[in-house]
């Protein structure tokens, strides 16, 4: 016996555009923040205790950050702009 039920289970494809890339991760000397133009205006790097370590504006789609002086550990980058806020984690080793 065969029982076919006419039901279309396909779902629409949704494109996901990543608005920020942070690399290398983990980082030792420098970190690059790559954003889409006009999405974020500034960022703050905080340590695991929430203390703000670095605060800087974003003027280009590629921003280079010197992290040599940071002690090894886990850090959070909070990006702020017209897109709202986005938090990304990176590791300094």
């Amino acid at each position: 016996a065969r029982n076919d039920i006419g039901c279309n289970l396909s779902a629409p494809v949704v494109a996901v555009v990543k608005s920020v890339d942070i690399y290398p991760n983990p980082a030792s000397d420098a970190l690059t923040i790559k954003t889409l133009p006009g999405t974020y205006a500034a960022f703050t790097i905080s340590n695991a205790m929430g203390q703000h370590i670095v605060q800087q504006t974003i003027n280009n789609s590629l921003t280079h950050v010197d992290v040599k002086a940071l002690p090894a550990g886990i850090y959070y980058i909070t990006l702020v702009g017209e897109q709202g806020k986005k938090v990304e984690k990176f590791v300094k080793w």
Side-chain angles (χ1 to χ4, degrees):
R2 183 175 167 172
N3 187 5
D4 291 330
I5 299 174
C7 182
N8 184 0
L9 297 177
S10 66
V13 176
V14 177
V16 176
V17 177
K18 191 168 182 181
S19 60
V20 64
D21 282 317
I22 298 172
Y23 58 89
N25 192 4
S28 60
D29 296 331
L31 195 63
T32 299
I33 301 172
K34 181 180 178 182
T35 60
L36 294 175
T39 52
Y40 298 104
F43 71 89
T44 302
I45 297 178
S46 304
N47 62 16
M49 297 185 334
Q51 298 168 317
H52 298 296
I53 308 296
V54 176
Q55 189 168 359
Q56 187 175 325
T57 59
I58 296 174
N59 297 319
N60 299 307
S61 59
L62 283 179
T63 302
H64 302 286
V65 184
D66 183 357
V67 295
K68 281 186 234 177
L70 297 179
I74 297 173
Y75 294 88
Y76 298 91
I77 299 178
T78 303
L79 297 121
V80 180
E82 291 183 16
Q83 296 281 336
K85 284 187 178 182
K86 181 170 184 71
V87 179
E88 295 282 333
K89 178 173 81 169
F90 83 94
V91 177
K92 164 63 168 73
W93 56 277

